[in-house]
Amino acid sequence: MGPLELNLAGTAYRLDFAGFHRPLGVGAGTLTLTLPPWTYRRHMDTLRLCTAPSASGLRLDSRILCDAVLNGLVADDESRRLISPIALWWAAGGDAPLAQPPAEGEWLDLGSYDNPARVRLRPWTEHQRLAALDAALSDDLDDDTWFDPVRYLERMVDATVAALDAPGGLDELDARATALLLHATVALNVLDEEADHLLQGGEAARQCAARTLRLCQALGWTPAKVWATPAAEVDRLLHMLDLLQPTRTPPRRSLADHPDATVIRIEDDGADDADRQERVSR
């Protein structure tokens, strides 16, 4: 670490970078300034001010975020506009790839060699998710701020962090550590239906759901435990279930079995039978 050159939005920046836990020296043309470390607490408090739900998801006001990162610096509007890409880069914890969450019970490294930090995560429960949703919802649905996504995210982090080994605790995590923690927390707790091909529908997905839920019902397992079981062991379990509970083919349904069908029954009364018999005898 040390002097770096970074090109963002067509502008060359000179950075005196010593890690996200230390102040960042920035130079662009004749402009020079220093950005203080951007912490987890500052990040979450600022997100509450610059994000809002919309029809397409969350909407981020980058101008408010930049102003918060540059708060306290003596700089005119033009200088703030020039330095805004660096401010966003600094608040995001850089642009390096973010690690996926480790296996349950293992530690996730959040820091660096001179600023070690690590966290152990656990998936949050349905009860914790419902409690977070309740805390994030407003009773006034006519209010544009009826849902607080940042409060929901904070509750998710609090429930997911099983152990944290970091100087200063959660609130003092630097921007890079914050990005790693939030990314791992969301990846661990939020199902990505588009990335999970087993949930995309079709005959293969239906067969997978039937096999999985059959084992869940019989053994009291979760889908995650079923999918983590060796394939041969799953086959053995399904075969044993077939010996005790053979899979039955459901009977074919007629149109009359449809819930929206109207069934009209036509029956001949006794007089009709007598008349019919008289006509036949003639």
Side-chain angles (χ1 to χ4, degrees), residues 47-220:
L47 284 182
R48 182 168 283 107
L49 300 175
C50 66
T51 57
S54 67
S56 58
L58 282 181
R59 184 178 66 255
L60 172 69
D61 190 326
S62 58
R63 181 186 58 82
I64 294 177
L65 178 57
C66 283
D67 287 344
V69 176
L70 301 176
N71 184 41
L73 298 178
V74 179
D76 56 26
D77 291 342
E78 179 60 24
S79 297
R80 286 175 175 268
R81 184 198 63 77
L82 181 64
I83 209 68
S84 60
I86 291 295
L88 293 175
W89 178 86
W90 187 239
D95 56 353
L98 299 173
Q100 292 298 314
E104 188 172 355
E106 296 184 358
W107 290 93
L108 172 65
D109 288 328
L110 301 176
S112 56
Y113 72 94
D114 62 338
N115 185 46
R118 59 179 186 166
V119 65
R120 194 166 59 227
L121 305 177
R122 63 191 169 204
W124 70 344
T125 65
E126 177 64 6
H127 182 271
Q128 290 170 328
R129 178 166 63 174
L130 292 175
L133 184 62
D134 180 68
L137 288 174
S138 169
D139 293 332
D140 186 5
L141 297 182
D142 294 330
D143 186 356
D144 290 339
T145 60
W146 64 274
F147 178 69
D148 185 346
V150 177
R151 178 175 294 179
Y152 183 81
L153 181 57
E154 286 180 324
R155 290 294 190 96
M156 185 189 299
V157 171
D158 292 340
T160 303
V161 173
L164 176 65
D165 181 11
L170 179 63
D171 285 349
E172 294 303 316
L173 291 177
D174 63 41
R176 179 64 183 175
T178 297
L180 288 167
L181 174 61
L182 294 181
H183 176 75
T185 297
V186 172
L188 184 64
N189 292 310
V190 179
L191 177 65
D192 186 351
E193 295 186 10
E194 294 183 358
D196 195 332
H197 299 293
L198 298 178
L199 301 177
Q200 294 306 304
E203 184 57 31
R206 285 191 289 271
Q207 290 183 12
C208 171
R211 287 164 57 93
T212 301
L213 294 179
R214 187 183 183 197
L215 287 175
C216 289
Q217 184 179 27
L219 303 174

Side-chain angles (χ1 to χ4, degrees), residues 213-233:
L213 294 179
R214 187 183 183 197
L215 287 175
C216 289
Q217 184 179 27
L219 303 174
W221 288 2
T222 63
K225 185 170 183 179
V226 172
W227 295 340
T229 302
E233 189 69 15

